């Protein structure tokens, strides 16, 4: 038995819930606190309202069970339904807010052709292929994943894009990346293919750069690879620490509390840098495993430092170097190793040979005197194995050496590569290290001074093992290959030496989710450049042994040492699976293939753009056109848009209207329409109305034919509405004292081709207003057309002083927006209005008596059967129901049948006082519609002749 009490009907979260023993007791307590509360059983609705009205009903609540709800502020019964509905919705909202959110796809924005900002080539998955009409700037849509790879060390990307439906005239010199002509960008290649043309056609519509002779590949990027995975060298597992103790015969120990990190950091409280150190114990088992190789460096007992030795050098083929230098080395023969960083010699046969390397030394003989010493360094046997270039020498030579003498006899150097026996916390044991380095046999002879000095030496212990990244799974049933990209952002070098990074990949097929069959291996090398921080990239592209899902992993194969000047970090930048496209021809669309240097950091924030002019069937053939008549006909006949038959389009009338508009305004610019339709939900009706509005027309359909009606200054109305065809008491008339909504100007927005198709604005009457009515046009791209539209809008806003709305009967179906109509204002006494009973030449018999003042002039407005209104002067009244007019009507009046011609008599001086321009019409039902109109005024159109009069160009 549960009772829920809602304290706020507009917020379901303000609810308390508890179990009850006696509902009557609870209700009496609630009603005392909330006198307007109401009680509901099960769900909240009027039908379930059980609020007790009598003592008997209240007493019946004593032993009830079930679930009940209380609205604390339900008040009178009239509002119960409203509040119950609100609280029910509130409960639903509250429930949904507490449910886990679903990942619904975000709405994809429209074509970038229509955007003013973020004009980028982008994917519009599931959206409408752009329908471009006229001439405009085009930012093509991506229709396949952009993929990237390295050609040399240059990152290249390939794209497949769609301009839109249909054929286009494209200016090759106006194809740009941003503002840069694509033809001036090194390495860029672009081919444009018309509908039904193969994507590997040798003769595309436009070709810049190299030809595309292979079908595009469809790629899918491996999301797990994000460019942050660094390829670790085989010895990347390392511990660098002090306070190391080495115990014979094979043990290395690091006690707890070892300082493993020191440095400086910014302290925001003090506002300065402070010194810090981190102390902690070393756990070898975390980084190393028994049986692995481990490399130990700088584990030297003694105080004799290494000595740098550089100078002009005689190089003997027998491995003897005679170095001339001013450096005085004490007891040079005690040094048993030499590390040569640079020794480049030109050989007559072998060419330029680099003899750098770390060699064992057999002996060092010193001669000369202060300031001019000579050191004859004899390398131990095996020097040619260390660097095979020694074998290429054909004669002794001369070079410059940069070397360091190491391995002094007075030191005990335990450095070397060993095998791990075991690990336990801070203890690392090696397998027979003395067999690798004889100095391990000298541990028992170390002095206390050497041991104490050793505690301050930072020893580097690093592993030697494979460091794979992966396995990663990728691909689908169609996948035939993959592309892996690697990047050394800062180059690969060590000072004056170029270095390499060797990469190995392994891949294997996956069947039903299970890795199956042979593991394939492939390797490649990234070659660095000395003293060069330019990025170095590598792409590995491999075909799979068969189509399907696969897995792969990668590792770095080599280690370039620990020099402080070494730069060789490599990241696994990206990976793609791919297969060759199965669609080589696009039936309806113009397609672009593009290859260029990659832009951005994986964001694909590029803006390939061009000026394209849609080709359509015109009177003169299949040509680029912006004429609205050509566009309207093409849209109507399009099997995916208008889906009309040619018999349903009054094509000739559309061309006639186009000619009429051009003649009326004095320029073809007034007939242009340039726009991209990109909304998949837009209907043909919405599209054709958009075209019509841009060229001063309304789209109409009459007698099964589709045509345009041009709005212009006219003395005649298309229809007459009076009490015979207006629903009783449906008319409302509004008089304006000033401009509607306090607007003080018009702000008209259009697209200016001379300014990169950016937004241009016309403000009327000037730029000093504060409350403009903003009008955003579609399809207007020239200043002349924008001028006419802006001034018409401003003139209508400025001169409109009256609005009328009424419900019309059947005649309302004959008119539409921007039509001029005549309306008898039934809200004020009328002179005479009704139907024509009989026409006898110029004598008309009315169905309503009329009384005309002989001293005044009158006209009669007659509704003709062709949908127009004829206005004729009345000569005299011949009877209560008869008048004589100055001439016969333009066509015979309808005086038979159920519906007769309607009329309206007004004074001649007020012939236009009842003329209106339809602003909106809404269908209410069969033969009934609501019409909203504004008073017609010839002052709406004075700027229509500005081009003819030379006021604009």
């Amino acid at each position: 038995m549960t009772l829920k009490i809602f304290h706020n009907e507009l917020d379901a979260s303000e609810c308390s819930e508890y179990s009850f023993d006696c509902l009557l007791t609870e209700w009496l307590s609630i009603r005392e606190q909330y006198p307007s509360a109401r009680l509901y059983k099960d769900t909240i609705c009027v039908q379930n309202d059980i609020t007790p009205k009598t003592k008997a009903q209240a007493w019946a609540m004593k032993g009830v069970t079930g679930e009940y709800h209380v609205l604390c502020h339900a008040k009178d019964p009239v509002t119960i339904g409203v509040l119950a509905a609100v609280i029910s919705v509130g409960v639903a909202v509250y429930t949904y807010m507490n449910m886990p959110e679903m990942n619904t796809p975000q709405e994809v924005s429209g074509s970038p052709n229509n955007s003013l900002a973020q004009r980028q080539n982008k994917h519009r998955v599931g959206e409408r292929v752009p329908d471009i009409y006229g001439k405009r700037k085009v930012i093509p849509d991506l229709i396949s994943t952009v993929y990237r790879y390295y050609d040399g060390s240059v990152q290249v990307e390939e794209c497949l894009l769609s301009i839109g439906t249909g054929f286009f005239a494209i200016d090759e010199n106006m194809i740009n990346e941003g503002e840069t002509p694509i033809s001036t960008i090194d390495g860029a290649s672009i081919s444009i293919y018309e509908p039904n043309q193969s994507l590997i056609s040798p003769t595309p519509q436009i070709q810049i750069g190299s030809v595309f002779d292979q079908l595009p590949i469809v790629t899918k990027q491996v999301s797990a690879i994000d460019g942050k995975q660094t390829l670790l060298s085989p010895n990347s597992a390392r511990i660098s620490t002090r306070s190391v103790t080495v115990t014979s015969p094979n043990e290395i120990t690091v006690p707890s509390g070892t300082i493993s990190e020191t440095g400086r950091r910014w302290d925001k409280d003090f506002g300065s840098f402070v010194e810090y150190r981190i102390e902690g114990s070393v756990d070898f088992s975390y980084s190393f495993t028994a049986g692995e190789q481990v490399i130990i460096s700088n584990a030297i007992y003694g105080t004799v430092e290494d000595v740098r030795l550089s100078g002009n050098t005689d190089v003997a083929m027998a491995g003897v170097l005679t170095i001339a230098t001013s450096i005085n080395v004490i007891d040079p023969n005690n040094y048993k190793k030499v590390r040569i960083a640079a020794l480049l010699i030109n050989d007559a046969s072998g060419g330029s040979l680099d003899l750098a390397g770390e060699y064992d030394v057999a002996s060092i003989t010193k001669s000369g005197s202060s300031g001019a010493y000579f050191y004859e360094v004899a390398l131990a046997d095996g020097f040619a194995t260390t660097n095979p270039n020694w074998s290429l020498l054909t004669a002794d030579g001369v070079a410059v050496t940069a070397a360091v003498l190491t391995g002094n006899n007075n030191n005990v150097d335990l450095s070397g590569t060993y095998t791990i026996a075991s690990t336990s916390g801070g203890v690392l044991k090696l397998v027979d290290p003395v067999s690798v380095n004889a100095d391990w046999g000298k541990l028992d002879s170390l002095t206390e001074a050497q041991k104490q000095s050793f505690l301050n030496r930072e020893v580097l212990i690093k592993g030697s093992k494979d460091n794979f990244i992966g396995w990663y799974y990728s691909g689908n049933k169609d996948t035939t290959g993959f592309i892996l990209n690697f990047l050394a952002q800062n180059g690969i070098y060590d000072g004056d030496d170029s270095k390499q990074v060797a990469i190995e990949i392994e891949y294997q097929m996956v069947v039903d989710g299970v890795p199956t069959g042979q593991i394939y291996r492939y390797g490649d090398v990234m070659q660095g450049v000395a003293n060069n921080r330019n990025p170095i990239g590598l792409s590995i592209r491999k075909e799979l042994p068969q189509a399907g899902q696969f897995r792969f992993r990668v590792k770095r194969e080599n280690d370039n040492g620990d020099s402080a000047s070494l730069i060789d970090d490599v990241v696994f930048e990206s990976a793609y699976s791919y297969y060759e496209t199965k669609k080589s021809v696009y039936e309806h669309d113009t397609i672009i293939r593009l290859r260029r240097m990659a832009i951005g950091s994986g964001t694909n924030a590029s803006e390939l753009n061009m000026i394209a002019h849609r080709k359509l069937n015109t009177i003169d053939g299949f040509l680029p056109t912006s004429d609205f008549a050509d566009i309207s006909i093409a849209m109507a006949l399009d099997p995916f848009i208008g889906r009309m038959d040619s018999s349903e389009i009054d094509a000739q009338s559309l061309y006639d209207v186009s000619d009429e508009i051009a003649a009326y305004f004095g320029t073809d610019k007034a007939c242009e329409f340039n726009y991209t339709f990109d909304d998949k939900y837009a209907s043909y009706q919405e599209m054709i109305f958009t075209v019509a509005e841009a060229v001063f027309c309304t789209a109409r359909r009459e007698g099964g034919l589709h045509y345009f009606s041009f709005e212009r200054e006219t003395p005649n109305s298309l229809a007459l509405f009076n009490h015979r065809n207006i629903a009783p008491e449906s008319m409302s008339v509004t008089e304006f004292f000033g401009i509607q909504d306090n607007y003080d100007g018009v702000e008209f927005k259009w697209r200016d081709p001379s300014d990169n198709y950016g937004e241009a604005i016309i403000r009327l009457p000037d730029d000093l207003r504060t409350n403009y009515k903003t009008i955003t046009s579609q399809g207007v791209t020239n200043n002349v057309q924008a001028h006419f539209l802006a001034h018409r809008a401003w003139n209508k806003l400025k001169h409109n002083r009256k609005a009328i709305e009424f419900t019309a009967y059947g005649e309302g179906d004959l008119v539409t927006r921007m039509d001029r109509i005549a309306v008898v204002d039934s809200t004020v006494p009328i002179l005479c209005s009704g139907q024509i009973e009989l026409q006898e030449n110029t004598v008309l018999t009315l169905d309503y008596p009329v009384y005309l003042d002989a001293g005044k002039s009158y006209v009669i407005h007659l509704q003709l059967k062709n949908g127009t209104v004829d206005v004729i002067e009345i000569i005299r009244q011949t009877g209560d129901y008869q008048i004589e007019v100055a001439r016969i009507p333009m066509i015979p009046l309808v005086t038979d049948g159920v519906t007769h011609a309607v009329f309206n008599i007004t004074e001649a001086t007020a012939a236009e006082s009842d003329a209106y321009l339809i602003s909106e019409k809404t269908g209410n039902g069969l033969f009934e519609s609501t019409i909203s109109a504004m008073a017609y005024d010839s002052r709406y159109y004075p700027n229509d002749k500005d081009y003819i009069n030379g006021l604009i160009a």
Side-chain angles (χ1 to χ4, degrees), residues 126 407 583 766:
K583 188 176 180 66
D766 50 49

Side-chain angles (χ1 to χ4, degrees), residues 259 261-266 273-279:
I259 297 174
E261 182 180 351
T262 61
R264 293 167 61 84
R265 61 175 173 81
W266 181 262
F273 284 102
V274 297
E275 300 287 342
Y276 74 91
R277 72 178 188 175
I278 298 176
E279 297 185 358

Side-chain angles (χ1 to χ4, degrees), residues 817-834:
R817 288 185 67 253
M818 308 320 295
D819 283 346
R820 173 177 161 158
I821 58 175
V823 183
V824 176
D825 187 351
S826 61
T827 63
V828 296
I830 61 174
L831 183 58
C832 187
S833 181

Side-chain angles (χ1 to χ4, degrees), residues 510-546:
V510 175
V511 179
D512 296 329
V514 179
T516 304
Q518 177 182 348
I519 295 179
Y520 298 88
R521 291 179 172 84
Y522 178 79
D524 210 333
V525 173
M526 301 177 71
Q527 178 63 55
V529 179
N531 286 315
N532 192 321
R533 296 183 65 89
N534 290 338
I536 295 173
L538 171 69
S539 289
I540 297 177
R541 177 170 175 169
K542 297 298 293 180
E543 291 289 325
L544 295 172
Q546 65 193 59

